């Protein structure tokens, strides 16, 4: 029969792939760049803006710090990119920062990195989507009332595309990323050329002054240093997602490490170029933006004024206004790439969660691949958490940004420290002078990276903790504790299930006693009796509970009338407790013969409609749930297919993992 659910699933996700088709999903560099680097590339759209938003708290007086802060961000990005190139070559298995920290600093440090990255991946989705929606609203202010709805819709679309697999999403995301890069570079080039020719672009907000925030006016000394550090920490959002390539090395075509390192270098060059260009253009165009439009002096009506993003103001000033083709092109490309930048997290989060699940720090289900060989459970988990965050914070970038980048610099610091230890260990055994020189150079790069990112982490903690970053810290701590707990649980279960003496475990029980539960005499009961007989148990007995004495007497009469040669045991239940009566009888048998096994056969109906389950099998389900906790008891369900099950619209049935093993599908019974 026509299966609507299966058809919709195939339309959204596509056909199932065999495990041996995994190689066909590996990525060339041109697709890997937009997949793994869309986050750091797209952060250009808001990194400069975040610097300006902090500096304008003091009015216009502190905007002269902008180029110095941008220069510090560029220097940091260069160090981080060079450092992660070392990670890609040294640890190409895809664990990235987590693997580096776990191997060189111990499991606890590795879990700190993992927890920080998982939280940051969630924040990447939330911030990228919210920022993309902001840019849409900048072009179409009338959509401001639908901010949260649009954000959740985009998360759903990203989820569906990623469920189709890495290569599929790469094809979909490549064009918008490259269109965005081209648009920004053209805008920057056109604006700076105009400036050099004596016709600089002028932002629409250049004519407005900025009233300082009372708490940040006339800052000097330490207070001014803290403001500049806050601006720097906000500008460091440009570095988010840099580590994603080191986590995704297995997704590259061979030679994997070299292709991943090349892609990381290209990403770093493009990101630095765009960030420097946008920041320079914002200074030239005199872009003025604040956290509150009412601090813009000279604005006629601040209450009804919607501030445009920095990118929007630059595009309007360079391309000739807010209705020019260039303006709409840049806004459309920016909004699209910001939303698609969340794809970096949709690739990084499931892969990291899969590695953690394989190492028994997260539920095993997160290690399973779906029909399209993507880690579907991780993708869905990320979508749900990010969606809840967007809903809770009303998709507001300013509110969400304070929770951001903390995890990135935690992983940066620990992974680079781990790489220093890695090179120390390599140098103790390496004797080739040329190789030793390369190791020394790599160690210097990683040591520089560890020191600088540690300093930035301290700055981020000092400047953002009270503004909301404490929530990200708390989430990471809770996640770290939870992962330790999951590992302890799996270790305890493994120890409990370990085989000590195979011969003793394989020894059969002295006797098997079979009980067939009977509610009334009908075909399902007779099938259960026949099935129990086929087991040739040492003792076979039918069991019923006399909730209604007249019905029990009628059952005994019919039992004798049909000549059934299986003894029928009737349990009296004055309080009409079926489960307690059966459990009590089973336990009494176990007390008499502790080494024997009791096999309980329960007839069950197989129905064709979900609502029929509400009318049948409730007593059987309750009994099974109680009996499963009784040691030495085996519960066996004996199905009876009702006529409605023949018309059920069941999908093609596959055993767990059948697609990955390449096994054919089996049709369910009609």
């Amino acid at each position: 029969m026509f299966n609507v659910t299966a058809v919709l699933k195939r339309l959204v996700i596509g056909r199932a792939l065999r495990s041996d088709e995994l190689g066909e999903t590996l990525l060339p560099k041109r697709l890997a760049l937009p997949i793994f680097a869309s986050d750091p590339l797209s952060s250009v759209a808001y990194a400069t803006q975040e610097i300006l938003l902090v500096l304008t708290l003091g009015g216009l007086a502190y905007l002269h710090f902008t180029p110095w802060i941008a220069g510090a961000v560029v220097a940091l990005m260069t160090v981080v990119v060079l450092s992660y190139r070392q990670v890609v070559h040294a640890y190409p298995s895809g664990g990235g920062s987590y693997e580096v920290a776990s191997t060189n600093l111990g499991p606890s440090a590795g879990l700190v990195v993992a927890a920080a990255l998982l939280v940051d991946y969630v924040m990447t989705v939330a911030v990228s989507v919210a920022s993309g929606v902001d840019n849409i609203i900048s072009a179409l202010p009338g959509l401001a009332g639908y901010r949260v709805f649009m954000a959740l819709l985009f998360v759903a679309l990203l989820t569906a595309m990623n469920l189709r697999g890495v290569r599929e999403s790469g094809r979909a995301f490549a064009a918008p990323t490259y269109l965005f890069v081209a648009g920004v570079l053209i805008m920057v080039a056109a604006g700076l050329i105009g400036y050099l020719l004596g016709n600089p672009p002028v932002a629409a907000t250049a004519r407005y002054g900025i009233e300082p925030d009372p708490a940040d006016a006339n800052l000097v000394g330490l207070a001014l240093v803290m403001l500049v550090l806050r601006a720097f920490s906000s500008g460091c959002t440009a570095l988010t997602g840099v580590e994603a390539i080191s986590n995704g090395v297995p997704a590259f075509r061979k030679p994997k490490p070299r292709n991943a390192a090349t892609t990381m270098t290209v990403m770093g060059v493009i990101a630095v170029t765009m960030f420097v260009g946008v920041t320079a253009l914002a200074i030239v165009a005199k872009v003025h933006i604040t956290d509150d439009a009412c601090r813009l002096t000279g604005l006629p009506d601040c209450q009804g004024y919607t501030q445009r993003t920095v990118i929007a103001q630059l595009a309007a000033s360079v391309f000739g206004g807010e209705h020019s083709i260039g303006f709409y092109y840049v806004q459309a490309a920016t909004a699209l790439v910001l939303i698609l930048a969340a794809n970096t997290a949709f690739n990084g989060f499931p892969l990291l969660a899969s590695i953690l699940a394989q190492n028994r720090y997260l539920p095993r289900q997160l290690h399973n691949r779906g029909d399209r060989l993507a880690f579907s459970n991780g993708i869905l988990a990320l979508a749900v958490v990010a969606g809840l965050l967007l809903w809770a914070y009303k998709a507001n970038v300013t509110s969400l940004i304070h929770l951001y980048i903390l995890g990135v610099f935690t992983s940066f610091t620990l992974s680079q420290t781990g790489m220093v230890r890695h090179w120390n260990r390599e140098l103790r055994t390496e004797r080739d002078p040329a190789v030793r020189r390369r190791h020394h150079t790599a160690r210097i790069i990683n040591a520089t990276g560890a020191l600088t990112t540690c300093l930035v982490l301290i700055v981020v903690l000092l400047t953002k903790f009270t503004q909301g970053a404490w929530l990200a810290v708390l989430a990471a701590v809770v996640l770290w504790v939870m992962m330790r707990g999951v590992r302890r649980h799996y270790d305890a279960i493994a120890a409990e299930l370990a085989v000590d003496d195979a011969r003793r475990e394989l020894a059969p029980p002295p006797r098997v006693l079979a009980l067939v539960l009977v509610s009334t005499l009908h075909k399902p009961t007779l099938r259960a009796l026949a099935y129990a007989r086929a087991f040739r148990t040492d003792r076979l007995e039918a069991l019923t509970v006399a909730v209604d004495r007249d019905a029990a007497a009628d059952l005994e009469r019919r039992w004798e009338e049909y000549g059934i040669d299986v003894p029928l045991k009737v349990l009296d239940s004055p309080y009409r407790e079926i489960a307690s009566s059966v459990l009590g009888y089973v336990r009494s048998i176990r007390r008499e013969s502790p080494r024997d096994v009791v096999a309980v056969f329960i007839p069950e109906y197989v129905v064709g409609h979900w609502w029929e389950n509400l009318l049948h099998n409730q007593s059987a389900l309750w009994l099974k749930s109680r009996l499963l906790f009784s040691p030495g008891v085996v519960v066996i369900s004996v199905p009876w297919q009702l006529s409605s099950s023949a018309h059920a619209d069941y999908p093609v049935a596959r055993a767990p993992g059948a697609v990955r093993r390449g096994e054919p599908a089996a049709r369910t019974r009609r």
Side-chain angles (χ1 to χ4, degrees):
M1 292 181 66
F2 182 72
N3 190 333
V4 177
T5 305
V7 170
L8 287 175
K9 182 180 178 182
R10 287 292 161 257
L11 285 174
V12 174
I13 299 177
R15 70 173 182 86
L17 297 177
R18 293 164 53 100
S19 291
D20 55 16
E21 294 179 272
L22 182 61
E24 297 177 17
T25 67
L26 296 180
L27 302 169
K29 294 188 288 295
R30 60 183 173 80
L31 289 182
L33 182 66
I35 287 178
F36 292 112
S38 56
D39 182 20
L41 292 178
S42 66
S43 62
V44 170
Y46 54 82
T48 300
Q49 177 171 308
E50 292 305 316
I51 293 173
L52 296 178
L53 282 171
V54 175
L55 291 178
T56 53
L57 289 172
L60 299 176
Y62 306 124
L63 287 181
H64 66 276
F65 287 112
T66 303
W68 300 102
I69 293 170
V73 171
V74 168
L76 180 62
M77 180 177 285
T78 303
V79 170
V80 170
V81 168
L82 291 174
S83 299
Y84 269 97
R85 278 179 54 88
Q86 312 303 320
V87 173
V88 164
H89 286 291
Y91 294 91
S93 61
S97 299
Y98 165 69
E99 184 180 359
V100 173
S102 298
T103 304
N104 298 288
L105 304 177
S108 294
L111 281 189
V112 171
V113 170
L117 280 177
L118 291 176
V119 170
D120 214 71
Y121 282 138
V122 173
M123 294 310 307
T124 295
V125 175
V127 171
S128 296
V129 170
S131 186
V133 170
D134 255 7
N135 277 271
I136 293 174
I137 293 171
S138 288
L140 302 169
L143 296 176
Y146 301 96
R147 182 186 299 272
V148 176
F149 172 76
M150 287 193 295
L152 296 178
L153 178 63
F154 287 131
V155 170
L157 290 173
L158 284 166
T159 303
M161 296 185 74
N162 277 278
L163 288 173
R164 293 185 68 88
V166 174
R167 191 180 179 87
E168 292 271 353
S169 62
R171 289 196 184 101
F173 299 162
T177 303
Y178 288 126
L179 288 173
F180 167 73
V181 171
V184 170
L185 291 178
I186 290 171
M187 179 185 74
V188 168
L192 294 180
I193 289 172
Y195 170 72
L196 293 174
L197 295 177
N199 185 28
V202 179
T205 56
R207 64 182 183 271
Y208 301 134
I210 297 179
E211 181 182 337
D213 186 286
D216 295 290
N218 302 315
L219 298 177
V220 293
L222 183 59
L224 179 57
V225 171
M226 289 303 295
L227 182 72
V228 172
L229 289 177
R230 279 174 59 190
F232 171 69
S233 65
S234 292
C236 286
T237 53
L239 278 76
T240 55
V242 169
E243 83 293 336
I245 291 176
S246 68
N247 292 333
V249 178
F252 283 80
R253 285 181 179 172
K254 295 180 180 179
K256 295 174 185 288
R258 190 175 71 186
N259 287 336
T262 302
T263 304
M264 180 165 284
T265 302
V266 173
M267 177 269 296
V269 171
I270 295 174
V272 166
T273 303
M274 290 197 300
F275 175 67
V276 169
V278 169
T279 305
L281 200 57
I283 295 170
V284 168
K286 298 180 180 179
V287 172
H288 294 164
I289 188 168
T290 66
D291 59 342
D292 181 3
C294 289
R295 289 202 298 110
L296 290 172
T297 59
L299 192 65
D301 178 22
C302 67
Q303 297 296 335
Y305 181 73
T306 301
Q307 292 190 87
R308 297 190 186 277
T309 61
V310 168
I311 287 286
Q313 293 188 46
L314 292 177
S317 65
V318 170
F319 295 118
E322 298 172 355
H323 300 290
S324 61
I325 294 175
F327 171 78
Y328 282 113
Y329 170 84
V330 171
Q331 283 307 100
T334 302
L336 193 54
V337 80
L338 279 168
I339 292 165
L340 298 184
N343 192 59
T344 298
F346 272 104
N347 282 279
F349 182 99
L351 184 58
L352 179 57
S354 167
I355 294 170
L356 289 166
Q358 188 177 18
N359 293 341
R360 297 182 294 179
Y361 287 113
L362 286 177
R364 296 281 176 82
Q365 293 89 335
L366 292 170
H367 184 57
N368 297 338
R369 292 184 183 268
D371 283 355
R372 300 288 296 180
L373 301 178
F375 295 110
S376 305
N377 292 330
I379 291 169
L380 293 173
L382 174 61
V384 169
V385 179
L388 289 173
L389 204 59
L390 284 164
W391 173 77
Y393 282 85
K394 303 187 186 302
N396 186 290
V397 178
T398 305
S399 300
L400 290 166
I401 205 76
H402 296 306
L403 310 180
Y404 207 19
I405 79 171
L406 190 67
V408 168
F409 284 100
T410 302
S411 65
F412 284 173
T413 302
L414 290 176
S415 67
Q416 299 314 308
T417 304
M419 285 301 296
V420 172
R421 283 198 174 184
H422 167 80
W423 297 124
N424 287 340
R425 188 170 59 250
E426 292 293 314
L427 285 166
R428 281 196 292 268
T429 57
E430 184 59 57
R431 294 291 176 264
D432 188 324
V435 175
R436 286 181 64 83
R437 280 195 298 273
R438 289 198 297 270
H439 287 352
H440 277 297
T441 303
R443 184 173 64 175
I444 291 171
I445 292 172
N446 290 130
T448 305
L451 179 61
T452 53
T453 54
C454 180
L455 291 173
V456 174
L457 177 61
I458 294 170
V459 170
V460 171
L461 279 172
L462 289 175
T463 58
K464 288 184 175 290
F465 190 83
T466 57
Q467 297 181 353
W470 65 269
L471 189 59
V473 174
L474 178 62
V477 170
V478 170
L479 197 54
W480 185 86
V481 172
M482 185 197 76
M483 288 191 290
R484 291 288 296 265
V486 170
R487 177 59 187 260
R488 281 197 300 271
H489 170 77
Y490 278 133
D491 287 348
I493 295 300
E496 184 178 342
L497 300 181
V499 176
D500 297 322
D501 186 346
R503 284 184 295 180
R504 185 185 67 188
E505 299 294 341
L506 289 171
R511 293 192 310 163
V512 177
L513 313 177
L515 297 178
V516 179
L517 300 188
V518 178
S519 59
T520 186
L521 188 55
H522 50 18
K523 291 179 180 178
T525 299
L526 297 179
R527 174 177 288 182
L529 285 170
Y531 191 64
R533 274 179 167 169
F535 274 71
R536 303 186 183 279
T537 56
D538 297 283
R539 172 179 153 194
L540 175 59
E541 182 174 272
L543 183 67
T544 190
V545 179
V547 175
D548 183 333
R549 288 302 308 170
D550 294 335
D554 181 63
L555 175 62
E556 289 181 286
R557 180 185 59 77
R558 294 178 63 203
W559 200 268
E560 291 182 4
E561 181 182 321
Y562 280 99
I564 300 172
D565 59 351
V566 176
L568 176 65
K569 175 73 174 180
V570 180
L571 301 178
D572 190 34
S573 179
Y575 295 103
R576 301 161 301 285
E577 283 281 349
I578 297 176
S580 298
S581 300
V582 172
L583 275 171
Y585 184 67
V586 169
R587 286 169 180 167
S588 69
I589 295 174
R590 290 280 300 153
R591 280 194 297 271
E592 293 173 7
S593 307
R595 297 177 60 198
D596 294 346
V597 171
V598 179
V600 181
F601 294 80
I602 304 178
E604 286 190 62
Y605 301 140
V606 178
V607 299
H609 307 289
W610 66 267
W611 53 266
E612 289 181 284
N613 278 311
L614 303 176
L615 307 177
H616 304 285
N617 296 327
Q618 298 306 308
S619 297
L621 288 171
W622 178 240
L623 266 172
K624 280 198 295 184
S625 67
R626 299 284 299 276
L627 288 168
L628 287 173
F629 286 95
S630 302
V633 177
V634 178
V635 181
I636 302 169
S637 295
V638 183
W640 180 271
Q641 291 79 13
L642 296 177
S643 58
S644 64
S645 67
H647 306 291
D649 191 17
Y650 293 123
V652 171
R654 293 183 185 271
V659 172
R660 293 175 289 284
R661 292 192 297 271
E663 296 175 2
R667 290 282 174 183
T668 50
R669 183 183 182 274
R670 288 283 185 263

